[in-house]
Amino acid sequence: MNFENLSFYLFAAVLIGAALSVIFSRNPVHAALSLVLAFFTAAGIWLMLEAEFLAISLILVYVGAVMVLFLFVVMMLDINLNRMREGYWNYLLPALIVSGIFLTELIVLIGGRVMFNKPADVPAAITSEGNTLQLGRLLYTEYLYAFELAAVILLVAIVAAIALTLRRRKDMKLVSSNEQFSASRESRLKIVSMPVEGGRREDPS
Amino acid sequence: MDFQLLDLYTLAPEIFLLMGVSVILLLDLFISEKRRNVTFFLSLIVLIITSILPWLFYDAEPRVIMNGLIVSDALGAALKSFLCVLIAVGLVYSKNYLLPRGLHRGEYFSLTLFAALGMMVMISSNHFLSLYLGLELLSLSLYAMVALQRDSGRSSEAAIKYFILGAIASGMLLYGMSMIYGATGNLNIEAIVFAILTGDADSTLLRLGVVFLIVGIGFKLGAVPFHMWVPDVYQGSPTSVTLLIGTAPKIAAFAFVLRLLAEALGHPSLHQDWSQMLTVLAVASLVIGNVVAIAQTNFKRMLAYSTIAHMGFLLVGFMTGSITGYSASLFYVLTYVLMALGGFGVILLLARDGFEAEELSDLSGLSQSNPWCAFLLMIILFSMAGIPPTVGFWAKLFVIQAIVDLGYVGLAVLAVMASLVGAFYYLRVVKIMYFDANESSDATVTYRTGLAIFGVNGLLLLGLGLFPGWLLSLCESLIESSVRTF
């Protein structure tokens, strides 16, 4: 068993362990962290397949952005676990049926090929340069225009998000602390001299 | 890779517009609330210069640049130029409407310019990728603009509806595009045409793709039965945004359909399929648009249904798949956007702080309080109804002529009958303006520039109606020189 095989089995074992822990851990934060580990090891396996662009984007996009957001939401939401577990046995049967269908479909689709045929050899890369370089070359030359347009769409998304959310709500009760500190006695209370009782001109009734 | 510096000259309008909007976006941060007019005038200047640029760098013969993503032709140059002028005029109309409603903000103008950029990309696309990206750029800007009035419940509702249905439509379009990619192995329009001609493409998959594309196009154009969003969005958005949605994107949508169906999938075997589907959409739009508009009491909603009917007419001309049909449709869409510009423009002019002027009853007695405005609106409504000597008559006539020449007499009769029904509700508005007395009416327009532009707009419809020949021959020559038919 050479080093490559050894590391593949290591990664695969960690990946399966992490995936199982996503499902079985009772604490949603632990589940999210296990998912991060699963993504990380999957990225490792992709790296071994020389698909380094996929690996990098998996780590940058999923681990870096999506999972952080996930964790954030899970921590913010304060999910009541007992309420989520209600009706577990009611959902079990439909869930088993659906996953049974999934499994059969998978077996029909790929099972025969994997079980009875020798796995196809991984096609050798056309050039020795990495696929990040090749993708980048295509993206910045042939699809330059489309790439720029995608950037403009992102810019529009930023502008729109800010334009729609940055506003003063009418029902907001927040007060400016600066204004509060700079308040003086004169700005809050005005003493006016009023005529005494006898000086009243007309009867209010 | 065959990138040439010369290609950048051809892209000058888009590049200038993008640079302009970026500068405006940055500059607006440093402009105080009181001097927001600077942003407004800068946007106008950028749009006007952008409308001139296509004429300096256009190609008489279609020339494909940027590795097949973009095609430069006379049609693209003309439509881009017209589009920018149209948006600029729309902004002038909206000026006094935006101020009291808190919409006179830098983001409003920059989003308008971004939408213009998206439309320009759509118009000159030669690749499904750039078509889709242009469409998304346009749609995203419009979704945000509909929602800009955050405190209005109706406007938020309209934005949600527009966003969700628009996303579904984009999904359908993408699905159709992916099927065509699967069938032909390419996204480039010329390569798709080549694959279809050589018979390499899987025809079943191709047809299925066309179905999904038609559904997506139907959603985007607002053709029945995919029209549900149109009335709500037209009524719910701020009127200035309705004006934007109701005018310029129709031109871009025309170019989009032209590139997608006529150029990429115009092969006779496929044309047979999509022309039938378009006929169904067109007939349903003509009937439902015109009939349901009768029941409306809100002017904006009525115009929304009238848009649906007009889109039906556009599709009638388009389904023929012939040069005359496309030219008639181009003529129709160019004149229709001028009418819609005036129709929504008058609502903007009559609106004041706290008064939207969007109900039909708000127009009663307009002939007494503001005879000039009423006269111009009458011309616009006559034009929409297709009454000579306005240009709307010629637009309908050319479309009907094109289909009668090809033998679709039944469809022509139906189109005429539907327009006849449509004439009822247009004329009812004229009746409300001229014969319904309204003592409390004080529909004065203080905004002189807007009124002047409105005058030009209305008289243009009359003038084009008296001399329609040159515009038709222009449309024909544009289509002939630019559309690469089979």
Side-chain angles (χ1 to χ4, degrees):
Chain A
M1 189 184 273
N2 57 12
F3 177 71
E4 207 177 315
N5 276 351
L6 189 70
S7 44
F8 170 75
Y9 285 119
L10 184 71
F11 277 134
V14 174
L15 179 58
I16 292 172
L20 286 177
S21 129
V22 173
I23 301 171
F24 288 114
S25 69
R26 282 170 176 266
N27 188 332
V29 177
H30 291 172
L33 286 173
S34 308
L35 197 55
V36 172
L37 182 63
F39 282 148
F40 221 87
T41 33
I45 292 176
W46 269 339
L47 260 184
M48 288 170 56
L49 286 172
E50 294 179 15
E52 79 272 10
F53 182 76
L54 271 179
I56 292 168
S57 50
L58 186 73
I59 289 180
L60 284 185
V61 177
Y62 276 87
V63 178
V66 176
M67 283 319 294
V68 170
L69 202 72
F70 238 78
L71 265 180
F72 205 64
V73 170
V74 165
M75 287 177 178
M76 298 263 284
L77 278 184
D78 188 24
I79 300 160
N80 187 348
L81 289 177
N82 288 331
R83 267 208 34 220
M84 273 181 65
R85 293 224 178 78
E86 272 173 23
Y88 177 81
W89 294 107
N90 294 340
Y91 291 129
L92 187 64
L93 188 64
L96 278 180
I97 292 171
V98 170
S99 29
I101 294 173
F102 277 168
L103 193 66
T104 338
E105 281 176 352
L106 276 180
I107 289 171
V108 170
L109 271 178
I110 57 170
R113 226 183 304 163
V114 173
M115 272 185 259
F116 303 117
N117 295 349
K118 210 180 74 171
D121 290 328
V122 178
I126 300 165
T127 53
S128 58
E129 56 191 26
N131 51 28
T132 312
L133 184 65
Q134 284 174 317
L135 270 173
R137 191 168 285 158
L138 208 59
L139 205 56
Y140 294 113
T141 58
E142 196 165 328
Y143 293 103
L144 174 71
Y145 189 73
F147 183 75
E148 293 283 338
L149 274 178
V152 176
I153 290 179
L154 282 181
L155 180 61
V156 169
I158 296 171
V159 172
I162 293 175
L164 290 181
T165 48
L166 187 69
R167 64 179 188 130
R168 244 189 139 57
R169 291 177 63 110
K170 274 182 180 165
D171 52 351
M172 200 170 64
K173 300 213 165 43
L174 189 77
V175 285
S176 150
S177 51
N178 267 348
E179 234 169 73
Q180 281 184 311
F181 283 126
S182 64
S184 61
R185 197 179 60 184
E186 287 75 25
S187 69
R188 289 292 155 94
L189 181 72
K190 197 172 166 193
I191 301 175
V192 292
S193 62
M194 294 280 287
V196 284
E197 184 72 14
R200 198 170 53 188
R201 288 204 193 95
E202 57 186 50
D203 199 46
S205 68
Chain B
M1 181 189 148
D2 52 344
F3 178 78
Q4 290 163 350
L5 207 57
L6 266 173
D7 292 355
L8 289 182
Y9 284 111
T10 317
L11 281 179
E14 281 91 348
I15 294 175
F16 178 79
L17 185 58
L18 181 59
M19 274 165 40
V21 63
S22 308
V23 168
I24 288 173
L25 207 56
L26 281 178
L27 212 62
D28 181 68
L29 297 174
F30 301 100
I31 292 176
S32 70
E33 198 63 45
K34 280 175 198 146
R35 294 170 54 200
R36 195 66 75 204
N37 268 344
V38 177
T39 319
F40 172 75
F41 285 115
L42 270 180
S43 313
L44 281 191
I45 292 169
V46 167
L47 279 172
I48 296 299
I49 297 179
T50 313
S51 76
I52 298 169
L53 283 174
W55 296 112
L56 303 179
F57 304 108
Y58 85 99
D59 299 88
E61 284 293 308
R63 189 167 66 91
V64 174
I65 54 167
M66 296 307 275
N67 292 297
L69 284 164
I70 284 293
V71 60
S72 157
D73 54 20
L75 178 71
L79 290 187
K80 280 183 208 171
S81 179
F82 184 63
L83 187 104
C84 288
V85 174
L86 206 68
I87 294 174
V89 172
L91 278 183
V92 175
Y93 272 135
S94 323
K95 177 93 175 40
N96 273 21
Y97 179 87
L98 297 174
L99 268 172
R101 285 165 184 79
L103 289 172
H104 201 266
R105 290 155 46 185
E107 292 87 7
Y108 182 91
F109 300 114
S110 42
L111 284 173
T112 308
L113 295 186
F114 275 127
L117 182 65
M119 290 184 246
M120 287 166 71
V121 170
M122 279 164 78
I123 285 173
S124 56
S125 284
N126 189 48
H127 198 278
F128 281 10
L129 193 58
S130 42
L131 270 178
Y132 180 71
L133 285 172
L135 181 68
E136 281 306 286
L137 184 54
L138 165 68
S139 310
L140 276 176
S141 317
L142 289 183
Y143 302 148
M145 289 181 76
V146 172
L148 263 186
Q149 227 173 14
R150 281 292 305 276
D151 295 319
S152 149
R154 273 225 314 245
S155 143
S156 305
E157 183 199 334
I160 293 279
K161 275 187 183 156
Y162 194 24
F163 179 64
I164 291 176
L165 287 177
I168 291 174
S170 296
M172 292 283 182
L173 264 178
L174 271 186
Y175 199 22
M177 284 176 181
S178 72
M179 282 181 190
I180 287 171
Y181 178 69
T184 61
N186 232 309
L187 286 174
N188 187 309
I189 286 179
E190 284 156 333
I192 289 171
V193 168
F194 184 73
I196 294 174
L197 277 179
T198 50
D200 287 342
D202 178 354
S203 70
T204 321
L205 196 55
L206 214 52
R207 289 215 171 94
L208 208 57
V210 170
V211 174
F212 278 95
L213 285 184
I214 296 272
V215 173
I217 289 169
F219 262 116
K220 292 289 175 193
L221 278 179
V224 178
F226 311 109
H227 66 292
M228 301 305 181
W229 59 274
V230 180
D232 291 326
V233 170
Y234 273 46
Q235 191 186 1
S237 349
T239 312
S240 56
V241 179
T242 313
L243 179 134
L244 182 65
I245 295 177
T247 55
K250 305 294 176 209
I251 298 179
F254 173 79
F256 185 84
V257 182
L258 200 66
R259 304 278 185 218
L260 208 57
L261 292 185
E263 290 198 342
L265 304 166
H267 191 266
S269 66
L270 284 169
H271 165 251
Q272 205 184 352
D273 293 328
W274 58 253
S275 83
Q276 279 173 4
M277 287 185 263
L278 286 190
T279 312
V280 173
L281 292 188
V283 168
S285 306
L286 280 170
V287 172
I288 292 190
N290 278 320
V291 171
V292 180
I294 294 175
Q296 305 307 319
T297 55
N298 183 295
F299 192 35
K300 271 159 86 179
R301 216 174 163 79
M302 193 199 93
L303 284 180
Y305 279 104
S306 119
T307 305
I308 295 173
H310 284 293
M311 287 303 115
F313 242 104
L314 179 78
L315 291 178
V316 167
F318 206 92
M319 52 65 71
T320 59
S322 65
I323 292 287
T324 42
Y326 296 148
S327 323
S329 278
L330 178 61
F331 186 91
Y332 199 95
V333 77
L334 289 182
T335 50
Y336 168 68
V337 291
L338 284 177
M339 302 173 213
L341 188 69
F344 291 112
V346 75
I347 307 179
L348 289 173
L349 291 182
L350 292 175
R352 290 186 306 273
D353 194 4
F355 174 63
E356 293 286 340
E358 60 173 50
E359 294 298 323
L360 281 178
S361 55
D362 292 337
L363 293 171
S364 60
L366 189 68
S367 65
Q368 271 99 47
S369 55
N370 203 329
W372 176 235
C373 230
F375 172 69
L376 291 172
L377 183 55
M378 185 181 74
I379 292 179
I380 289 164
L381 289 167
F382 275 8
S383 187
M384 281 185 176
I387 298 169
T390 53
V391 73
F393 167 71
W394 296 106
K396 285 190 166 52
L397 181 72
F398 292 144
V399 169
I400 288 170
Q401 214 166 29
I403 55 172
V404 169
D405 284 349
L406 289 166
Y408 300 96
V409 179
L411 187 60
V413 170
L414 191 123
V416 172
M417 299 297 271
S419 315
L420 216 59
V421 175
F424 167 73
Y425 61 87
Y426 293 122
L427 292 181
R428 191 181 55 181
V429 180
V430 176
K431 175 229 157 207
I432 289 172
M433 287 193 304
Y434 277 88
F435 300 110
D436 284 10
N438 184 358
E439 301 307 323
S440 63
S441 161
D442 55 342
T444 46
V445 178
T446 49
Y447 181 38
R448 289 281 171 81
T449 323
L451 206 56
I453 292 271
F454 186 50
V456 173
N457 190 343
L459 293 180
L460 192 64
L461 290 177
L462 200 59
L464 280 176
L466 294 175
F467 307 102
W470 68 272
L471 184 60
L472 183 69
S473 54
L474 177 72
C475 288
E476 270 169 357
S477 69
L478 284 178
I479 294 282
E480 257 168 34
S481 71
S482 305
V483 179
R484 294 153 291 174
T485 46
F486 283 82

